[in-house]
Structures are given as structure tokens and as C-alpha cells.
Amino acid sequence: MVEVTVTPRSSLADRPVQVVVRGLAPSQLVTLRSWLTDEHGERFQARAFYRADEAGEVDAGRHAALGGNYTGVWPMGLFWFLQPDSLFRRLVTRDVAGSPFLVHLEVFDGLCLVTGPQDEPLAACTAERWYVGPGVQRVPVREGRVRGALLLPP
């Protein structure tokens, strides 16, 4: 049974997480894909190709990506290399305190350059990426022409 995990499952956006896939065949080629939908309904995704080790595992922090949106060992590559499906879009959020980005991670057998709705992943999970920690207070700033927000720690 193939399983993909993100540890911790819920974290601040600037904190590293560990992405691990278990239950693969030794030396199996797989595609790891991450994707999210922003507040405007725009989809962003990243993918990387990996070869499982002798134990049938892929650890993004130890194993090198063979291709995709990046190559080499990038523990956070599936989060850092998210690209918009539509040209000239940027990943931004206005609601930094209210809700996290939900990043979906999926594992596909073989090298998948394009995945459609008919393609079933071997395993999937979701990670929460928060921009504001618990207890942080957001105070709007409007002084003259200055607009912004002051974030106060608990």
C-alpha cells in the first residue's frame, strides 16, 4: 500500500516540512505532484520525478529529483516551485490570518508530464500552510497614504 506523508501536516509557510512516500517497489519511477487553488480560483502546481530507493521509499529531503520543475535534492521543492496553470499569475493571499493554503500532494506511477481527471494517484495527502501563527493579532494600519497591517505576536 503506497502512502505519502507530510510532516508536520499543518505548519507555518516559512517552516520546512518532510515529504516521504512509502510502499513503492524498489527502484520504481514515480511522479510527485503538488497543487493548490488560490483565493481567485487559480491553480498552481509543481511536479518532480523520483526513483524509489531499495526500501521502496522516496524522501524529498534525501533523494534527488530526476526532473520535472526542478532537479536535485530540494526538500521543499514541491512547495517552492509551484507554477500557475495560467500565464502571468502570482500566488498571493489577502486573508493571511483566516485560512491556510491547502497544498495537495499526489504520487503517480511512472513519469507523468500531464495528469488529467482520469489519472488516479497511487496515494495522496493534504498539507496546511499558514501565514500567521496562532494567537497573532492583525492590526490594520491607515495613516495618511500608508496602508498595511501590523502583526503582533501573542
Side-chain angles (χ1 to χ4, degrees):
M1 171 117 178
V2 178
E3 174 188 41
V4 59
T5 57
V6 177
T7 308
R9 188 156 287 206
S10 181
S11 64
L12 291 173
D14 64 345
R15 301 288 184 209
V17 294
Q18 182 182 27
V19 177
V20 177
V21 181
R22 292 183 178 88
L24 299 168
S27 300
Q28 181 177 351
L29 282 172
V30 293
T31 300
L32 270 65
R33 179 177 74 153
S34 61
W35 63 272
L36 63 83
T37 304
D38 73 1
E39 296 169 344
H40 302 292
E42 294 293 333
R43 188 175 175 135
F44 293 77
Q45 60 180 319
R47 69 183 68 234
F49 312 129
Y50 287 92
R51 183 178 300 280
D53 63 13
E54 316 77 49
E57 291 186 4
V58 170
D59 182 342
R62 293 186 303 117
H63 299 120
L66 307 173
N69 290 104
Y70 59 93
T71 58
V73 179
W74 289 86
M76 296 295 295
L78 292 167
F79 297 87
W80 290 343
F81 291 96
L82 288 165
Q83 299 292 316
D85 283 356
S86 303
L87 293 176
F88 310 113
R89 301 290 185 198
R90 290 186 325 156
L91 182 58
V92 294
T93 181
R94 292 195 185 278
D95 185 15
V96 295
S99 62
F101 273 131
L102 297 177
V103 182
H104 305 272
L105 286 104
E106 300 170 327
V107 181
F108 294 92
D109 187 28
L111 303 179
C112 297
L113 296 174
V114 177
T115 49
Q118 73 281 2
D119 296 317
E120 283 294 317
L122 298 174
C125 73
T126 303
E128 292 181 352
R129 301 294 280 171
W130 291 88
Y131 281 89
V132 175
V136 172
Q137 202 176 22
R138 184 179 189 274
V139 179
V141 175
R142 298 180 77 90
E143 187 67 36
R145 292 175 31 190
V146 176
R147 302 289 183 266
L150 173 63
L151 300 174
L152 298 170

